[in-house]
């Protein structure tokens, strides 16, 4: 069993309220879930207007597939014009950890 996680630290563009922030973050989370069958959620910075942290997790039996999916998730978030990707933290775990 292999578990992979990503943590994205994002700077949002022209966002002036938490409501506007939700309208930017929710579609990103939904697209990650829909396209890649991963678990995704906003996991940090909920009280900040222009910052967001999105977490992604996936469990699989194939480490190559895991790496490929996490790479594609990272590219999707980095390509979004309404956010600036400040950092990405990737962790891979096995059942032997």
């Amino acid at each position: 069993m292999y578990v992979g996680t990503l943590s994205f630290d994002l700077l949002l563009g022209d966002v002036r309220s938490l409501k506007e922030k939700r309208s930017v973050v929710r579609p990103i989370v939904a697209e990650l879930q829909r396209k890649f069958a991963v678990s995704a959620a906003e996991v940090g910075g909920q009280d900040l207007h222009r910052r967001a942290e999105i977490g992604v997790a996936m469990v699989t039996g194939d480490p190559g597939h895991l790496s490929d999916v996490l790479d594609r998730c990272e590219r999707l978030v980095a390509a979004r014009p309404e956010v600036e990707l400040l950092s990405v933290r990737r962790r891979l775990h096995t059942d032997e950890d």
Side-chain angles (χ1 to χ4, degrees):
M1 176 177 67
Y2 299 92
V3 179
T5 62
L6 291 172
S7 178
F8 299 105
D9 185 13
L10 305 174
L11 178 64
L12 308 180
D14 188 28
V15 172
R16 301 188 193 286
S17 69
L18 292 175
K19 185 176 181 179
E20 287 180 12
K21 176 185 179 177
R22 283 192 306 273
S23 71
V24 172
V25 173
R26 280 187 178 170
I28 295 171
V29 169
E31 187 173 7
L32 287 165
Q33 293 169 334
R34 186 182 72 253
K35 281 190 170 184
F36 305 117
V38 297
S39 295
E42 183 180 3
V43 296
Q46 284 94 342
D47 295 338
L48 303 173
H49 296 262
R50 296 199 59 223
R51 294 291 293 271
E53 184 179 350
I54 295 176
V56 172
M58 181 180 177
V59 178
T60 184
D62 179 7
H65 176 67
L66 177 63
S67 181
D68 180 53
V69 171
L70 294 181
D71 288 344
R72 291 189 289 155
C73 288
E74 188 173 340
R75 284 194 299 271
L76 181 140
V77 173
R80 299 295 293 241
E82 67 273 21
V83 300
E84 181 182 342
L85 183 57
L86 298 177
S87 68
V88 180
R89 183 175 178 188
R90 181 182 293 222
R91 288 187 160 173
L92 302 174
H93 308 276
T94 68
D95 53 358
E96 298 170 1
D97 286 349

